[in-house]
């Protein structure tokens, strides 16, 4: 408690110590504790909310903000600031609020700092949780940003039709597992690639994929795709880029759609690999399109309602990889880039 009687606490947060080149390491980040953080929203403000974070989301896109970029570089979001907390989606509980739409005890999710307590002064990106009967952690994944990414990327960009063939890379990851199951709900034939036999078994036996393969055990990706998708690919949902994207282009059908969601194989390389099979786009009339989930938040209410229904009906399996404690957050984030996680990676901090 502060000298003026205000209730305060010590706040732990994950900060960036140095900008990253290559693969991130534990030494690039550290957990620091700041004492004397007020638990009341500033009086006189009408839009401040203090949130106690319960879960932190770990996502590959954070890697791009951990590198120092020149002003002219085309980057989706600004670099993280050295010594300040990393930022990503969190799930939390409102401790105090001066905002008329939020009250103490409300459960919320949104883009916040990687810390135990956050003072939110821009509440446009703070959302109330409408299905507290489901696990709150789902709002870091299947009911949050990664779920909306899968939903918007597949249906708004990929536009699959019943009976079509869909290929998903990094299919056991947070986005990929949702894409594959949504494609099955839409009546498609779905094949996924993943980085271990354990993940392949999960895709086929728990998530309903029609087929899957371990890309690390395949000497020839072209042959693997020919074996699993002999009739070709209508929609390729790309989470990895690199050689997988190159191989998939050779197997696209006439009028196929390639959804560029992520390129995790490229994030830690000093120089990005080129794509050699772009010539396929012309004779096959392939549409290849990148997208950002930020352009689709207007769909969130519809998405949340539909996804909650799929989960409750048993049509959407959810696999999470949860570590306990904010001290474990840096290692959990690093593990994404070696494929160590199985399912959605998140950190439980309270």
């Amino acid at each position: 408690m502060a000298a003026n009687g205000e209730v305060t606490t010590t706040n732990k947060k994950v900060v960036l110590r140095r900008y990253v080149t290559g693969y991130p390491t534990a030494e690039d980040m550290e957990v620091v504790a700041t004492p004397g953080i007020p638990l009341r929203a500033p009086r006189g403000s009408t839009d401040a909310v203090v949130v106690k974070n319960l879960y932190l989301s770990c996502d590959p896109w954070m890697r791009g903000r951990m590198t120092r970029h020149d002003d002219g570089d085309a980057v989706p979001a600004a670099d993280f600031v050295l010594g300040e907390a990393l930022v990503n989606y969190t799930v939390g509980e409102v401790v105090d609020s001066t905002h008329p739409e939020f009250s103490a005890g409300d459960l919320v999710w949104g883009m916040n700092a990687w810390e135990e307590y956050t003072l939110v002064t821009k509440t446009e990106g703070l959302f109330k949780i409408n299905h507290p009967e489901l696990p709150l952690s789902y709002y870091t994944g299947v009911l949050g940003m990664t779920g909306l990414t899968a939903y918007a990327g597949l249906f708004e960009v990929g536009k699959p039709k019943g009976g079509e063939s869909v290929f998903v890379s990094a299919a056991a990851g947070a986005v990929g597992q949702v894409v594959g199951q949504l494609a099955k709900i839409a009546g498609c034939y779905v094949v996924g690639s993943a980085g271990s036999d354990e993940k392949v078994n999960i895709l086929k036996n728990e998530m309903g994929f029609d087929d899957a393969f371990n890309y690390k055990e395949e000497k020839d990706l072209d042959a693997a795709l020919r074996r699993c998708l002999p009739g070709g690919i209508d929609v390729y949902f790309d989470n990895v880029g690199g050689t997988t994207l190159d191989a998939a282009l050779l197997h696209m059908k006439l009028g196929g759609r390639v959804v560029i969601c992520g390129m995790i194989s490229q994030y830690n390389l000093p120089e990005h690999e080129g794509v050699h099979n772009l010539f396929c786009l012309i004779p096959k009339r392939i549409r290849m399109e990148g997208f950002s989930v930020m352009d689709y938040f207007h769909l969130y209410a519809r998405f949340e309602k539909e996804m909650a229904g799929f989960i409750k009906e048993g049509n959407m399996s959810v696999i999470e990889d949860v570590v306990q404690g904010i001290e474990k957050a840096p290692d959990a984030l690093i593990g994404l880039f070696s494929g160590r996680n199985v399912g959605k990676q998140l950190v439980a901090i309270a």
Side-chain angles (χ1 to χ4, degrees):
M1 182 176 293
N4 61 2
E6 185 175 38
V7 177
T8 63
T9 189
T10 296
N11 189 30
K12 292 180 180 179
K13 58 185 177 180
V14 182
V15 304
L16 186 65
R17 293 184 61 233
R18 63 189 183 192
Y19 287 115
V20 178
T21 56
Y23 283 83
T25 67
E27 290 72 29
D28 297 323
M29 297 166 275
E30 66 177 332
V31 178
V32 300
T34 304
I37 301 298
L39 292 180
R40 290 186 69 192
R43 281 351 189 210
S45 170
T46 59
D47 60 356
V49 181
V50 177
V51 175
K52 177 182 175 65
N53 291 313
L54 308 176
Y55 295 98
L56 310 178
S57 178
C58 294
D59 296 291
W61 75 271
M62 298 173 69
R63 172 61 185 83
R65 299 187 67 181
M66 298 171 76
T67 292
R68 180 63 177 166
H69 294 93
D70 295 329
D71 291 340
D73 290 348
V75 293
D79 302 337
F80 289 133
V81 178
L82 296 182
E84 294 188 7
L86 304 184
V87 175
N88 197 6
Y89 289 91
T90 73
V91 172
E93 180 179 357
V94 174
V95 175
D96 190 42
S97 172
T98 61
H99 193 290
E101 295 182 10
F102 295 95
S103 302
D106 285 347
L107 297 169
V108 295
W109 74 278
M111 182 77 79
N112 288 323
W114 260 25
E115 58 189 357
E116 293 177 310
Y117 293 88
T118 298
L119 173 62
V120 181
T121 57
K122 296 180 180 180
T123 55
E124 304 84 20
L126 195 65
F127 303 91
K128 286 186 179 180
I129 285 176
N130 295 313
H131 293 278
E133 72 278 8
L134 295 172
L136 295 181
S137 58
Y138 284 10
Y139 280 86
T140 68
V142 66
L143 285 169
M145 183 273 290
T146 50
L148 181 60
T149 299
Y151 181 90
L154 182 65
F155 293 126
E156 299 297 315
V157 183
K159 301 183 183 301
K161 304 177 184 69
E164 289 191 326
S165 296
V166 176
F167 173 49
V168 186
S169 55
V175 173
Q177 62 174 281
V178 180
V179 170
Q181 293 179 90
L182 288 175
K184 287 299 300 178
I185 291 170
C188 298
Y189 184 87
V190 182
V191 174
S193 64
S196 72
D197 291 341
E198 176 192 10
K199 293 178 181 180
V200 167
N201 287 333
I202 288 172
L203 293 176
K204 294 166 67 173
N205 299 322
E206 297 185 37
M207 296 188 171
F209 281 58
D210 294 290
D211 206 349
F213 62 88
N214 178 355
Y215 72 90
K216 292 182 180 178
E217 297 297 324
E218 298 286 347
K219 296 181 180 179
D220 185 345
L221 288 176
D222 180 66
L225 290 172
R226 190 180 304 110
R227 181 181 73 243
C228 295
L229 291 151
I233 303 167
D234 292 292
V235 179
Y236 170 40
F237 198 102
D238 183 28
N239 291 304
V240 301
T243 56
T244 303
L245 171 59
D246 233 7
L249 287 173
L250 294 174
H251 294 269
M252 298 302 297
K253 292 184 183 180
L254 187 70
R257 288 82 74 199
V258 180
V259 183
I260 304 296
C261 178
M263 294 196 172
I264 195 170
S265 73
Q266 306 298 297
Y267 293 159
N268 299 302
L269 299 181
E271 293 186 13
H272 296 161
E273 297 171 338
V275 179
H276 304 284
N277 293 326
L278 290 176
F279 68 87
C280 295
L281 273 62
I282 300 170
K284 294 185 178 183
R285 287 77 153 174
I286 298 167
R287 177 170 56 83
M288 185 161 68
E289 181 177 347
F291 78 102
S292 169
V293 69
M294 305 307 294
D295 296 332
Y296 294 95
F297 267 85
H298 64 283
L299 301 177
Y300 182 75
R302 185 183 84 191
F303 154 76
E304 183 188 31
K305 180 179 179 180
E306 290 185 21
M307 186 62 74
F310 294 149
I311 295 170
K312 293 176 182 180
E313 294 161 5
N315 294 323
M316 179 66 59
S317 296
V318 181
I319 295 179
E320 298 177 316
D321 196 326
V322 186
V323 299
Q324 301 290 330
I326 195 168
E327 292 82 5
K328 300 288 184 63
D331 186 61
L333 178 60
I334 292 167
L336 292 176
F337 301 103
S338 62
R340 190 173 64 206
N341 59 300
V342 178
K344 170 62 189 174
Q345 182 70 70
L346 63 139
V347 182
I349 61 173

